[in-house]
Amino acid sequence: MSDAMVTVTLPDGSTRSLTEGANGADLAADVGPGLAKAALAIVVNGEMKDLALPLPDGSEVAVVTTDSEEGLDLMRHSTAHVMAQAVMDLFGGENVRLGIGPTIKHGFYYDFDFEDDRRLREEDLETIEGKMAEIVAADQSFVREEVSRGEALERWESQGDRYKCDLIAAIPEGESISFYHNAAPGSEEGAFVDLCRGPHVSHTGALSGVVFKLLSIAGAYWKGDVAQPMMQRVYAACFADQKDLDRYLENLEEARKRDHRKLGKELKLFHFTDTVGQGLPLWLPKGAQVIESLVDFLRAEQKRRGYLSVITPHIGKQALYETSGHWENYQDSIFPPMEEPDGSLFVLKPMNCPHHIEIYRSDLRSYRDLPLRFAEFGTVYRHEQSGELGGLKRVRGFTVDDAHLFVTPDQLQDEFRDVVGLVQMVLKTLHLTDVHARVGVRDDDPEGKWVGDAEHWDRAQGAIVQACEDMGLDFTVDVGEAAFYGPKLDFVVTDALDREWQLGTVQVDYNLPERFDLKYTGPDGSRQRPVMIHRAPFGSLERFMGVLIEHCGGEFPLWLSPVQVVVAPISDEQNERAEELACQLDAAGFRVKRDFANEPIGAKIKRAHLEKLPYVAILGPREISESGVSLRSRDEGDLGVMSVEAFFERLRSEVENRS
């Protein structure tokens, strides 16, 4: 009698039959030696599993290889375990308590707590890297062990590791719990054990194909809760190729140079002071000018598209946000209420939308009035924890380029597409062109912070996905990432340093019109419910500025630059003509700096270079005799002598085209 067989289907539709009990490694070997060498794991019916897993009969199986994104993520995950093992080997396993060690975009991190209050230092990172290399070279096996909840808790309780116990307690009943052992060759006992759902590469030697670099140590509250212990988080970069790692490290170094907090101080754009308070930026004249240019740009475009400007107060009654649902679902981010003598409670405005809803409710509305588009550059306030603040990117008071559109159901698709087109135009104008869209939908968790009925959610989510498909957007769907009142479309931008930022957002909302009982009169005289679209192309202007400063390294395009031209005479003899030119530039609407210091022209050019200003207009005897100007460009260098008319035309063209 022949041995029992299992048959699996490969991604190309072909099938393979192997002896019952064959695993992923056997399948890869059956396909060919090249695949066997590159195999790291298998995907069985859409779920990644260890290579050693026996193949289920009739399943669809793909082999994960070293040259795939999935393979790189898997190797990063396993390398994180190697780092945890190295830390325990070096600093005494009995002293180390392990948190979590997930992969992130360019590598991974792991959180540690030391019983002996040890503080890791930057110089420890090289030592840890050396120990990691030893573990990889030892070719230890990753061995999976499934255990009961009781066994899992007993192990980590006996080691006094409350963090792993917390993680075990969060695993749903009925879901498998597994450990992974790093077992040295020939050893029955694992040298290192971690709680992990897996999968992993089959042995540490498989990680010899990746390159990694431990980057930094940071504090991190357990579960992100300030009431929990502070752990030590070690970040690492990990890539499949040395060139990729080198490029990433170069970008990190460039990011340090471009840090918006550093450039903001050097270029005198904004200022923070403890006297005013953490997370409350003060815009200096130059920074305010950039903000005003952004606002003017968007306001003009909004006016062209039929938006109506509104202004709302910085505070509102707590009851307003109870009706909207913000108080229930967003309370941790709202500053404590202020009580009036009559008992009324007011809060600093966390969102603009309830205020815009009240403007809608201020008058009777007909279908002929819709779509109604209210826009405001409205300042809102969030009660962020001090440890979460970070320059302009996480602040307590910020301005949102908010708009709320009230539309009929039939108008929803066209209005949504127009809003998406507006966001795309804004990002393209600012040379943020590496963009992908992310649709945030709610999950099915009955405990989730979602308001409204499922039918409304289904309609809203369907409308967003349909619009994305109709427009040919590159988009993904993220379950559980919706706003509490409706699904959203976020625009994720990759900047010049290959970092991702969520910037513009668009949301479809059937729920707030329901909660506020919004109505309009339909063509047949019946009272009908509008749909809301929430929209913010920039999002937070403060956060957008932080990203933009770093994206362009502080070198704003001419139309945004707080100073567009420096007028610099070579000597005092040209001061009179230089002042005339500066006045002409002023009159033409350009932003001018006069550098009439009694210094060599080289010093003036260097100063303009350090201030990252677009143009220096130089006037000397030759330029005056030829009724021209020597122009030096920040981006193109010396442009030589040109007529004043040609100079002005160049500036006008560059500003008008926002080039």
Side-chain angles (χ1 to χ4, degrees), residues 1-37:
M1 181 179 292
S2 62
D3 293 334
M5 305 292 284
V6 295
T7 301
V8 299
T9 303
L10 300 180
D12 64 0
S14 64
T15 60
R16 292 273 171 168
S17 295
L18 297 96
T19 304
E20 188 176 32
N23 60 26
D26 298 322
L27 172 63
D30 189 64
V31 173
L35 186 61
K37 184 178 180 181

Side-chain angles (χ1 to χ4, degrees), residues 102-370:
T103 61
I104 52 180
K105 182 179 180 184
H106 298 295
F108 55 86
Y109 67 79
Y110 216 113
D111 291 342
F112 303 99
D113 189 13
F114 294 88
E115 288 292 296
D116 59 2
D117 295 327
R118 173 185 294 275
R119 305 305 302 174
L120 291 174
R121 302 165 300 172
E122 295 295 326
E123 50 264 38
D124 292 326
L125 299 183
E126 186 175 348
T127 304
I128 297 170
E129 286 178 358
K131 176 58 71 173
M132 291 172 68
E134 292 177 14
I135 295 169
V136 170
D139 200 22
Q140 298 178 5
S141 299
F142 278 98
V143 179
R144 179 185 177 90
E145 176 192 6
E146 293 203 3
V147 297
S148 69
R149 185 178 299 271
E151 290 173 315
L153 285 171
E154 181 181 357
R155 176 180 185 93
W156 296 107
E157 285 173 350
S158 68
Q159 294 187 5
D161 194 326
R162 49 102 18 125
Y163 307 110
K164 295 298 182 185
C165 292
D166 281 357
L167 294 173
I168 293 165
I171 297 173
E173 289 291 339
E175 188 172 311
S176 65
I177 298 175
S178 56
F179 295 161
Y180 274 83
H181 301 253
N182 286 34
S187 170
E188 295 183 1
E189 295 295 326
F192 170 73
V193 182
D194 202 358
L195 172 74
C196 183
R197 68 164 54 94
H200 280 284
V201 299
S202 57
H203 52 95
T204 62
L207 303 175
S208 60
V210 297
V211 289
F212 56 84
K213 177 70 177 175
L214 305 193
L215 300 172
S216 61
I217 305 160
Y221 290 110
W222 175 238
K223 295 185 176 180
D225 184 349
V226 295
Q228 297 281 2
M230 174 77 80
M231 306 187 76
Q232 296 181 67
R233 177 171 294 176
V234 178
Y235 284 97
C238 184
F239 291 90
D241 184 271
Q242 185 66 46
K243 290 181 180 178
D244 291 336
L245 176 61
D246 290 343
R247 182 165 57 249
Y248 177 70
L249 295 177
E250 288 170 5
N251 280 343
L252 280 184
E253 181 58 32
E254 184 64 22
R256 280 188 278 270
K257 296 176 184 176
R258 295 187 182 206
D259 189 313
H260 74 280
R261 292 164 294 190
K262 173 178 174 288
L263 289 178
K265 185 175 182 179
E266 292 174 357
L267 302 179
K268 299 182 179 179
L269 300 174
F270 58 89
H271 179 60
F272 288 96
T273 170
D274 288 338
T275 306
V276 172
Q278 284 187 301
L280 300 170
L282 301 171
W283 289 102
L284 305 180
K286 289 183 178 179
Q289 178 59 66
V290 181
I291 292 285
E292 287 178 5
S293 296
L294 287 170
V295 168
D296 289 346
F297 156 57
L298 184 55
R299 183 173 279 131
E301 186 61 30
Q302 288 176 164
K303 185 176 181 180
R304 191 180 70 80
R305 293 173 185 245
Y307 285 78
L308 303 174
S309 293
V310 297
I311 300 173
T312 61
H314 290 242
I315 64 172
K317 280 191 172 182
Q318 178 179 311
L320 176 68
Y321 296 102
E322 290 172 351
T323 301
S324 70
H326 288 96
W327 186 255
E328 177 186 356
N329 295 283
Y330 216 76
Q331 188 173 347
D332 290 346
S333 296
I334 300 177
F335 276 94
M338 299 169 280
E339 186 172 358
E340 287 286 281
D342 64 0
S344 299
L345 297 176
F346 288 81
V347 295
L348 286 171
K349 178 173 62 173
M351 296 283 190
N352 294 303
C353 37
H355 294 248
H356 290 189
I357 287 171
E358 289 300 309
I359 292 176
Y360 179 92
R361 281 158 49 106
S362 69
D363 203 353
L364 294 174
R365 308 294 180 181
S366 161
Y367 73 95
R368 293 186 179 90
D369 301 321
L370 306 186

